Amino acid sequence: MSKSAKHILFLIGALLVASTNLHAQFYDEADDDVLYHKEYVYGLNFNTNAGLLGGISFKHARVITKQMYHSFSIEMVNVKHPKENRVQNYSTGGSYIEGKQNYLFTIRPQYGREILLFQKAKEQGIQVNWISAIGPTLGIVAPYLIEFKDRNGLVRTEQYNPDIHAGQSDNILGTGRFTESLSQAKIEPGISFKSSLSFEFGTFKTNVTGFEAGFMLDAFANEIIIIPRADNRQVYTSAFLTFFYGFRK
């Protein structure tokens, strides 16, 4: 294991211990002078590193004080390279992303704090929270498989290789099975941080809908190759928008 990966794993462990201690120190469910004690929300994520739909998320928040909450969340998103370009093979009807060698998905478990900036009435209005969160990032790097017809006319499924497949678009018939790609995936450790504003709506005390908008950073132990010979990175930043729905008690 690389030295940077060891540092990341140490920081992850420290964060988990700290979050447990903070929960034991601050949480008081007996305090009735708060708008809610617990919150559970599910979300759909859109971000600048993905296509139409970036991913999904779940968040659980618990009260610390009248103006502050613990935030425990997990999110899974798809990360795309900005130079991805889908090409269609008109002879077969199949399509593929030209030059792509790997998929990158990120799983982000995070611990954070939510500070209430503007509190709504119990059954109407808008609530605005500022959220900051940090945690590990697990990068799932899966090979991007294509169906390639060789010079003998045989079709085989293999990972894109620029030394073999560059300039061979007529022989790339389409993509391989996604489940087969996932079966060959590798894990790349990292760390994530986000800062955002949450705008919550709802006509009932027990329900919540709204959106969260902000900035996300993922830093991995190593550079991740999505498209060879392109601008691949070790640190990814993005702006995001998450629409969420959930309940409180």
Side-chain angles (χ1 to χ4, degrees), residues 9-61:
L9 292 176
F10 173 80
L11 181 56
I12 291 170
L15 288 168
L16 293 175
V17 172
S19 66
T20 302
N21 292 338
L22 286 169
H23 182 272
Q25 180 179 357
F26 290 107
Y27 179 64
D28 181 10
E29 194 168 351
D31 183 5
D32 292 327
D33 192 22
V34 293
L35 186 61
Y36 58 93
H37 292 92
K38 300 177 183 179
E39 181 180 72
Y40 303 86
V41 297
Y42 305 86
L44 294 177
N45 175 276
F46 303 83
N47 66 79
T48 54
N49 283 339
L52 181 61
L53 177 62
I56 56 176
S57 65
F58 170 76
K59 183 183 71 174
H60 170 47

Side-chain angles (χ1 to χ4, degrees), residues 144-148 156-161 164-165 180:
Y144 185 76
L145 301 179
I146 59 171
E147 293 183 345
F148 181 73
R156 58 178 186 264
T157 301
E158 58 193 19
Q159 184 179 18
Y160 177 85
N161 184 333
I164 299 174
H165 305 118
E180 186 176 352

Side-chain angles (χ1 to χ4, degrees), residues 21 26 28 36 84 86 91 99-100 116-117 123 141 161-162 174 200 205 208-209 221 225 247 249:
N21 292 338
F26 290 107
D28 181 10
Y36 58 93
E84 289 190 12
R86 184 166 292 277
S91 62
K100 183 165 183 171
L116 195 153
L117 301 179
E123 295 189 5
V141 183
N161 184 333
E200 301 180 359
K205 179 181 176 181
V208 56
T209 57
I225 306 299
F247 63 93
K249 55 183 179 180

Side-chain angles (χ1 to χ4, degrees), residues 57-71:
S57 65
F58 170 76
K59 183 183 71 174
H60 170 47
R62 304 184 73 170
V63 65
I64 301 175
T65 68
K66 296 178 184 179
Q67 303 295 323
M68 186 179 296
Y69 290 81
H70 295 288
S71 174

Side-chain angles (χ1 to χ4, degrees), residues 1-236:
M1 181 181 293
S2 68
K3 192 173 182 180
S4 57
K6 290 180 180 179
H7 288 165
I8 290 172
L9 292 176
F10 173 80
L11 181 56
I12 291 170
L15 288 168
L16 293 175
V17 172
S19 66
T20 302
N21 292 338
L22 286 169
H23 182 272
Q25 180 179 357
F26 290 107
Y27 179 64
D28 181 10
E29 194 168 351
D31 183 5
D32 292 327
D33 192 22
V34 293
L35 186 61
Y36 58 93
H37 292 92
K38 300 177 183 179
E39 181 180 72
Y40 303 86
V41 297
Y42 305 86
L44 294 177
N45 175 276
F46 303 83
N47 66 79
T48 54
N49 283 339
L52 181 61
L53 177 62
I56 56 176
S57 65
F58 170 76
K59 183 183 71 174
H60 170 47
R62 304 184 73 170
V63 65
I64 301 175
T65 68
K66 296 178 184 179
Q67 303 295 323
M68 186 179 296
Y69 290 81
H70 295 288
S71 174
F72 304 90
S73 63
I74 186 167
E75 183 175 63
M76 181 174 180
V77 301
N78 179 25
V79 178
K80 294 185 176 182
H81 196 283
K83 294 184 178 179
E84 289 190 12
N85 178 41
R86 184 166 292 277
V87 175
Q88 185 168 3
N89 186 316
Y90 292 101
S91 62
T92 65
S95 65
Y96 66 97
I97 298 174
E98 187 174 20
K100 183 165 183 171
Q101 190 170 47
N102 290 299
Y103 294 101
L104 172 59
F105 303 96
T106 59
I107 298 177
R108 306 184 185 111
Q110 291 186 321
Y111 169 77
R113 292 293 186 90
E114 298 192 20
I115 298 176
L116 195 153
L117 301 179
F118 181 82
Q119 180 173 323
K120 69 174 183 177
K122 289 193 174 184
E123 295 189 5
Q124 62 182 353
I126 300 174
Q127 177 174 310
V128 181
N129 291 1
W130 174 63
I131 304 172
S132 60
I134 191 170
T137 290
L138 299 178
I140 302 176
V141 183
Y144 185 76
L145 301 179
I146 59 171
E147 293 183 345
F148 181 73
K149 184 173 68 175
D150 63 20
R151 65 182 63 184
N152 297 318
L154 298 177
V155 177
R156 58 178 186 264
T157 301
E158 58 193 19
Q159 184 179 18
Y160 177 85
N161 184 333
D163 296 329
I164 299 174
H165 305 118
Q168 298 282 335
S169 58
D170 290 341
N171 294 326
I172 300 176
L173 308 182
T175 57
R177 289 178 296 177
F178 182 65
T179 53
E180 186 176 352
S181 293
L182 285 182
S183 69
Q184 302 175 39
K186 298 180 180 178
I187 302 297
E188 187 68 41
I191 190 168
S192 64
F193 168 79
K194 79 169 178 178
S195 180
S196 62
L197 289 175
S198 172
F199 300 85
E200 301 180 359
F201 311 91
T203 56
F204 299 99
K205 179 181 176 181
T206 56
N207 293 336
V208 56
T209 57
F211 66 90
E212 178 185 348
F215 167 85
M216 180 73 72
L217 181 145
D218 293 292
F220 294 97
N222 301 291
E223 180 182 86
I224 297 177
I225 306 299
I226 298 178
I227 296 181
R229 302 169 186 171
D231 181 24
N232 294 287
R233 293 172 284 169
Q234 187 174 353
V235 177
Y236 291 80

